[in-house]
């Protein structure tokens, strides 16, 4: 079945071993996209040749000199003929029914500009079993709720005009560039959540390096500050966006505390976190986790003095 009026953009850089799997997962969809735009970002391992040889999909292969994943995605968006664009990283894959589910969620809530599902690290059983669509008027309020999951680049369908209005993907940023884009979209538009997996995130196959960035400020922190100061965040999103920012800072405090990086934990907690804006329950939990090593250390020292 074809005709859901959507393009799939696949950024590609040296993923010869995986791009065939990604394309095959699109070809296996019950509902096919109007087009698949693969932007080869200067691959040197023959990845583009695998795409050229692939049969069974309306593929448009665009080649460019290496400029990074953001530039590749942005170029794919610019070339897209459809009003809606989905993304699939070259080392990930769609689950069966993914495109149909994204299309149905879009059609159920025509006022929303973004559709997102879950991305999992292994194929669930059964794949795409329960499908429930939920309108998300405020992305940040949603992220602060129980059981929330962030958008992932291989599980998003977005109105082309919306992502262009939000500023597309930030060139030159290799880690967290997608999160920055989702946050800007969350400031401006309502979304629809699919409460089921739509893609498999093959983290072992990628080379994003995000693990090494844990505990450091993500790129979107600076974007948030710029948008706040320029009053680009709509009034109805300012409180929720601010609370989510402080929530993320508290998560950094917990990361440093559990890693026994207590100096970094306390600097973030007392010099960066705005306690008045932070979610109170998470703040209390963070204080307990951050202070407990100190309390345990004092107890141990007191015990040793009594024994001595």
């Amino acid at each position: 079945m074809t005709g859901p009026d959507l393009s799939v953009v696949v950024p590609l850089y040296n993923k010869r071993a995986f791009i065939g799997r990604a394309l095959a997962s699109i070809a296996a969809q019950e509902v096919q996209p109007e087009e698949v735009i693969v932007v080869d970002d200067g691959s040197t391992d023959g990845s583009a040749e695998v795409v050229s040889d692939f049969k069974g999909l309306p593929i448009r292969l665009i080649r460019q000199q290496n400029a990074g994943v953001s530039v590749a995605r942005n170029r794919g968006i610019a070339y897209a003929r459809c009003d809606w664009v989905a993304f699939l990283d070259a080392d990930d894959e769609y689950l069966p029914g993914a495109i149909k589910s994204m299309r149905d969620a879009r059609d159920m809530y025509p006022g929303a500009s973004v559709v997102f599902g879950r991305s999992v690290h292994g194929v669930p059983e059964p794949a795409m079993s329960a499908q429930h669509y939920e309108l998300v008027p405020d992305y940040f309020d949603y992220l602060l709720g129980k059981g929330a999951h962030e958008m992932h680049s291989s599980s998003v369908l977005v109105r082309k005009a919306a992502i262009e209005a939000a500023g597309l993907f930030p060139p030159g940023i290799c880690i967290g560039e997608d999160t920055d884009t989702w946050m800007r979209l969350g400031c401006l538009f309502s979304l629809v959540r699919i409460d089921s997996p739509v893609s498999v995130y093959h983290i072992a196959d990628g080379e994003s390096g995000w693990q090494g960035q844990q505990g450091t400020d993500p790129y979107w922190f600076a974007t948030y500050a710029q948008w706040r100061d320029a009053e680009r965040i709509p009034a109805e999103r300012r409180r929720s966006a601010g609370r989510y920012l402080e929530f993320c800072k508290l998560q950094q405090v917990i990361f440093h505390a559990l890693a026994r990086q207590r100096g970094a934990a306390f600097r973030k907690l007392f010099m960066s976190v705005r306690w008045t804006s932070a979610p109170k329950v998470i703040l209390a939990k963070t204080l307990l986790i951050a202070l407990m090593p100190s309390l345990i250390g004092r107890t141990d020292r007191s015990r040793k003095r009594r024994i001595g």
Side-chain angles (χ1 to χ4, degrees):
M1 183 186 300
T2 60
D5 184 33
L6 65 87
S7 306
V8 176
V9 170
V10 182
L12 173 65
Y13 178 68
N14 286 351
K15 292 293 188 295
R16 179 184 176 89
F18 311 116
I19 182 60
R21 178 181 64 191
L23 295 176
S25 76
I26 302 174
Q29 295 293 305
E30 174 188 355
V31 172
Q32 293 285 294
E34 295 282 350
E35 61 181 355
V36 178
I37 303 173
V38 179
V39 182
D40 179 52
D41 189 35
S43 295
T44 58
D45 67 345
S47 293
E49 286 68 27
V50 174
V51 177
S52 297
D53 293 339
F54 194 91
K55 307 300 180 184
L57 282 175
I59 296 176
R60 298 168 63 196
L61 176 61
I62 299 167
R63 298 173 185 254
Q64 66 180 32
Q65 293 184 345
N66 182 251
V69 65
S70 290
V71 174
R73 288 198 188 107
N74 291 345
R75 192 168 187 192
I77 294 168
Y79 273 80
R81 299 188 180 114
C82 297
D83 293 334
W84 288 79
V85 179
F87 303 98
L88 181 66
D89 287 350
D91 50 2
D92 293 342
E93 60 182 312
Y94 280 146
L95 289 167
I99 292 179
K100 180 179 185 300
S101 186
M102 287 190 286
R103 180 205 63 182
D104 291 349
R106 174 199 69 184
D107 293 347
M108 181 176 291
Y109 295 98
S113 295
V114 185
V115 175
F116 69 104
R118 288 191 286 124
S119 192
V120 294
H121 297 294
V123 179
E125 293 293 342
M128 297 295 295
S129 54
Q131 297 183 34
H132 173 70
Y133 309 136
E134 174 190 357
L135 182 66
V136 179
D138 189 319
Y139 183 51
F140 304 106
D141 272 345
Y142 161 76
L143 289 175
L144 289 167
K146 184 178 181 181
H149 58 88
E150 294 184 3
M151 284 189 275
H152 178 267
S153 54
S154 294
S155 65
V156 174
L157 172 67
V158 61
R159 198 185 299 270
K160 181 177 178 179
I163 196 167
E164 290 174 338
L168 299 169
F169 293 91
I173 305 301
C174 299
I175 300 175
E177 80 293 332
D178 52 347
T179 300
D180 185 78
T181 303
W182 313 145
M183 295 304 170
R184 285 182 273 113
L185 283 167
C187 284
L188 299 176
F189 302 103
S190 59
L191 307 86
V192 181
R193 179 180 72 97
I194 304 171
D195 189 21
S196 58
V198 298
S199 65
V200 179
Y201 175 35
H202 290 284
I203 186 171
D205 300 338
E207 299 174 352
S208 67
W210 64 267
Q211 297 96 329
Q213 299 297 312
Q214 293 186 77
T216 61
D217 287 354
Y219 181 76
W220 74 267
F221 277 21
T223 299
Y224 167 83
Q226 293 169 2
W227 276 45
R228 179 199 61 207
D229 295 345
E231 298 185 349
R232 294 189 63 185
I233 301 176
E236 64 271 19
R237 298 281 200 283
R238 290 172 191 165
R239 181 176 182 275
S240 60
R243 291 182 74 237
Y244 185 68
L245 175 78
E246 301 310 320
F247 167 81
C248 290
K249 292 179 183 178
L250 292 175
Q251 296 302 302
Q252 291 178 326
V253 173
I254 292 174
F255 171 82
H256 288 305
L258 295 179
R260 299 187 181 278
Q261 300 167 356
R262 299 193 57 242
F266 282 114
R267 281 193 298 274
K268 177 66 68 173
L269 181 60
F270 293 107
M271 298 179 66
S272 179
V273 174
R274 294 187 179 185
W275 291 29
T276 55
S277 301
K280 297 302 181 284
V281 173
I282 303 300
L283 177 60
K285 174 184 175 182
T286 304
L287 283 168
L288 181 63
I289 293 174
L291 293 173
M292 188 168 290
S294 175
L295 295 175
I296 293 173
R298 291 177 183 175
T299 302
D300 288 342
R301 286 192 295 271
S302 298
R303 183 180 299 116
K304 289 179 181 177
R305 283 197 298 269
R306 288 197 301 270
I307 294 174

